[in-house]
Amino acid sequence: MAQAPDIRAAGYCRKISLMSEVKVQTPIEDFDWDAYASGETAGSKSREELTKTYDESLNTVKENEVVTGRVKAITKRDVLVDIGMKSDASIPISEFRYNPDLKEGDEVEVFIETLEDKNGQLRLSHKKACQTRSWDRVNKALENNEVIKGYVKSRTKGGMIVDVFGIEAFLPGSQIDVRPIRDYDVFVDKTMEFKVVKINQEYKNVVVSHKALIEAELEAQKREIISKLEKGQVLEGKVKNITAYGVFVDLGGVDGLVHITDLSWGRVSDPHEVVELDQDIKVVIIDFDDEKKRIALGLKQLQPHPWDSLSPDIKVGDHIKGRVVVMTDYGAFVEVQPGVEGLIHVSEMSWSQHLRSAQDFLKVGDEVEAVILTLDREDRKMSLGIKQLKNDPWENIEQKYAIGSRHTAKVRNFTNFGVFVEIEEGVDGLIHISDLSWTKKIKHPSEFTKVGNDIEVQVLEIDKDNRRLSLGHKQLEENPWDVFESIFTVGSIHKGKLIEVMDKGAVIQLEHGVEGFATPKHLVKEDGTQPKLGEELDFKVIEFNKDGKRIFLSHSRIAEDASKAEAREARAKRTPRRERAERPEEPTAAPQIEKTTLGDLGALQALKEQMQKEENKGE
């Protein structure tokens, strides 16, 4: 029978084996056993100190932080990194392609994406750690105004792309250099120094500048250069930039501006006509501002003034030729020689009194001949005229347009009292509204003619001092009122049409184009009503005024006269034949014997006075 194993011996051996593996810990020498026996394990340390010691013993890393880890192993695809957690993390080796010398044991910065994913794994990223550190360095460079280095990777629209700490930053073309850059490609693949000038935190955009470094250096040079400048000093410079308003010149660290008006004594429409980019030129200092660092330069001031070379033989009254260089509403500037100009005012372009725009006579580039009207060599001014090349039409106006002569004129414009016409350029006249027609009552000249139409006129008066003619149109025909006097005799009856009705009466259109007037009392019809506009009736002439060219009519008088005639006939029939024979025969009542009533005379007199006042006012 087999002997059973000694269980106690086996247990003892196992105990000895475990004890050999475990390192024996020595007890704490100053351990307070009495406090331990009473339940107080803190000993001489407070609970707060023990809590702090415990917390410090733990790894307090958090997600989205950058920490330092140690490379544990490297494979073809991954890098195993230990950051002191319960497990290591695997990072793709592609994130370390910028560090080909990486080896086990190296310390690397990593970004904690998550402490424990759904699989319970720790996830780290070396690429994000680099980006985070780079973004922090860029922000720090902006805050501290540091000078950093960057690699110009490529050219883009409006500037360059620069690699700064692994971040792509934008370098505007205007921030490359203090001078305008015409070829950006020369900066590609170069490492340069920059300053961070702007950061967009939301879109993670960075803007850098190389010009800012240069300006800081040039500022000291500018102060030194400007301190030595003097007005009238002649310097050499290089054309840096050309604009529409002038030329910027580099004077060796400081820029000055030659305004377009200071490029040449003559008119300059484009500065490119005078200078070219990068051209070396001599300029003179006209003015400068120490505070604003502005320098005004001149180029034409180094050349003699053209007025000094103007021939001394030129005088007022001479004919001179030139080219129109500038047009304004009030005149044209003519260059008679480079840098010497004269003004032809619009009033000196035509003898006409109707001043128009100068563009109606000349345009830029025209070659003209003119007469010198004034010449001031001290103030360097000259006035010219071109109308003086023609004879003044008013010199022999009495012979050319004698009183009573007939001419064709063109209507220029209207007024309430007449028509202004032009017989020829520079010869104007007025046709008064009363001289337009013998028969029509014209309220406004536009009823008779139109602007631009030709009209036949007769010269009535000449005012040479004011250069005006008094003209007439109706005078071209005989005065029809001499004939009307025999046609429209008092008492005669004529057909008439109401062409205008007003409170004081109505205007009646009669035959031969003449017009008459009837008061409301003389318009009453047999039925007691008033006639309407456009209605035709018979009218009796009750007054004819040849001098005033007025005819007064009455429609009601016809019926009244007929009634009176019937009454006389009736009385005659009732009278015995013997009494009629014994009674002397009564003369037949002549039309002119009939008298108007006091009311008629008062209305006519008031109307005549009113019309006379209106005529006097118009004249």
Side-chain angles (χ1 to χ4, degrees), residues 25 36 87 98 125 198 208 272 275 289 293 358 361 450 458 498 542 583 600:
Q25 300 291 336
Y36 177 76
S87 62
Y98 297 109
S125 173
K198 185 178 180 181
V208 296
H272 289 88
V275 297
D289 188 337
K293 308 295 189 299
F361 299 95
K450 295 181 180 180
Q458 179 176 324
L498 277 73
I542 60 176
R583 184 183 298 173
D600 293 341

Side-chain angles (χ1 to χ4, degrees), residues 521-584:
K521 177 181 178 180
H522 291 283
L523 291 171
V524 179
K525 296 193 292 185
E526 292 185 28
D527 58 2
T529 62
Q530 290 281 339
K532 297 180 180 179
L533 183 68
E535 189 173 349
E536 290 188 358
L537 299 171
D538 289 331
F539 289 91
K540 175 178 283 190
V541 178
I542 60 176
E543 183 179 343
F544 183 88
N545 188 332
K546 179 180 177 181
D547 296 332
K549 300 179 181 61
R550 298 184 183 92
I551 301 175
F552 293 95
L553 306 170
S554 175
H555 172 71
S556 59
R557 184 65 59 85
I558 297 175
E560 293 173 0
D561 291 345
S563 298
K564 291 178 180 180
E566 291 177 0
R568 285 195 300 272
E569 290 179 1
R571 284 197 307 272
K573 290 180 180 180
R574 291 195 299 269
T575 303
R577 183 176 298 176
R578 185 179 60 182
E579 291 181 5
R580 290 201 304 270
E582 294 176 354
R583 184 183 298 173

Side-chain angles (χ1 to χ4, degrees), residues 199-383:
I199 294 178
N200 188 318
Q201 301 291 345
E202 181 179 358
Y203 297 101
K204 302 294 184 181
N205 292 335
V206 180
V207 180
V208 296
S209 172
H210 178 69
K211 177 182 176 181
L213 300 176
I214 303 175
E215 288 179 336
E217 297 176 0
L218 293 179
E219 190 63 27
Q221 297 180 15
K222 287 183 180 180
R223 287 194 294 267
E224 183 180 356
I225 293 174
I226 293 178
S227 64
K228 299 178 180 179
L229 295 180
E230 295 179 0
K231 292 183 180 180
Q233 185 178 2
V234 178
L235 302 173
E236 289 188 2
K238 184 183 291 293
V239 176
K240 179 179 178 180
N241 191 21
I242 300 177
T243 66
Y245 56 85
V247 176
F248 287 93
V249 180
D250 183 2
L251 301 176
V254 63
D255 295 341
L257 173 65
V258 182
H259 195 268
I260 188 171
T261 56
D262 291 315
L263 287 172
S264 173
W265 290 113
R267 296 273 180 173
V268 178
S269 57
D270 185 357
H272 289 88
E273 301 172 359
V274 183
V275 297
E276 299 177 354
L277 281 175
D278 299 327
Q279 180 182 349
D280 293 326
I281 59 174
K282 287 186 177 182
V283 291
V284 61
I285 298 177
I286 300 176
D287 196 5
F288 61 89
D289 188 337
D290 291 334
E291 295 181 359
K292 297 182 179 180
K293 308 295 189 299
R294 294 178 180 176
I295 304 174
L297 305 174
L299 185 64
K300 70 179 184 182
Q301 286 79 1
L302 297 177
Q303 304 171 0
H305 200 288
W307 272 86
D308 298 335
S309 60
L310 186 65
S311 174
D313 297 332
I314 295 178
K315 60 185 182 301
V316 174
D318 289 351
H319 289 203
I320 195 168
K321 293 183 178 181
R323 180 176 62 90
V324 178
V325 291
V326 175
M327 291 296 304
T328 65
D329 290 336
Y330 58 85
F333 288 92
V334 178
E335 187 178 55
V336 297
Q337 71 178 51
V340 179
E341 297 177 3
L343 173 65
I344 305 177
H345 195 269
V346 65
S347 62
E348 303 299 338
M349 293 182 179
S350 171
W351 289 110
S352 175
Q353 298 298 309
H354 304 283
L355 295 181
R356 295 170 285 175
S357 174
Q359 283 83 353
D360 295 336
F361 299 95
L362 298 171
K363 62 180 183 297
V364 174
D366 285 351
E367 299 289 340
V368 297
E369 181 179 357
V371 178
I372 299 176
L373 304 180
T374 63
L375 181 62
D376 189 340
R377 294 180 181 272
E378 292 183 1
D379 292 339
R380 294 167 177 169
K381 293 182 180 180
M382 180 189 303
S383 61

Side-chain angles (χ1 to χ4, degrees), residues 388-485:
Q388 288 76 9
L389 299 174
K390 301 177 182 179
N391 293 329
D392 185 354
W394 282 86
E395 289 182 357
N396 56 350
I397 194 71
E398 295 89 349
Q399 292 78 25
K400 192 172 184 179
Y401 299 103
I403 295 177
S405 60
R406 300 185 177 190
H407 308 276
T408 300
K410 186 176 291 294
V411 177
R412 298 304 303 264
N413 63 309
F414 297 137
T415 66
N416 291 330
F417 54 85
V419 182
F420 283 101
V421 299
E422 185 180 60
I423 301 179
E424 68 167 271
E425 183 178 335
V427 179
D428 300 328
L430 171 66
I431 307 174
H432 195 270
I433 192 171
S434 61
D435 291 318
L436 289 173
S437 175
W438 286 110
T439 57
K440 293 183 179 180
K441 299 296 181 183
I442 301 172
K443 295 181 178 180
H444 192 273
S446 59
E447 302 172 4
F448 189 84
T449 184
K450 295 181 180 180
V451 173
N453 285 359
D454 290 337
I455 185 172
E456 297 296 324
V457 296
Q458 179 176 324
V459 179
L460 304 180
E461 295 180 9
I462 299 176
D463 185 353
K464 192 171 183 179
D465 294 336
N466 295 317
R467 304 172 78 90
R468 273 294 163 84
L469 298 177
S470 294
L471 307 172
H473 175 71
K474 72 180 184 180
Q475 287 79 4
L476 299 173
E477 301 174 355
E478 293 183 2
N479 188 354
W481 288 88
D482 295 336
V483 180
F484 293 159
E485 187 177 15

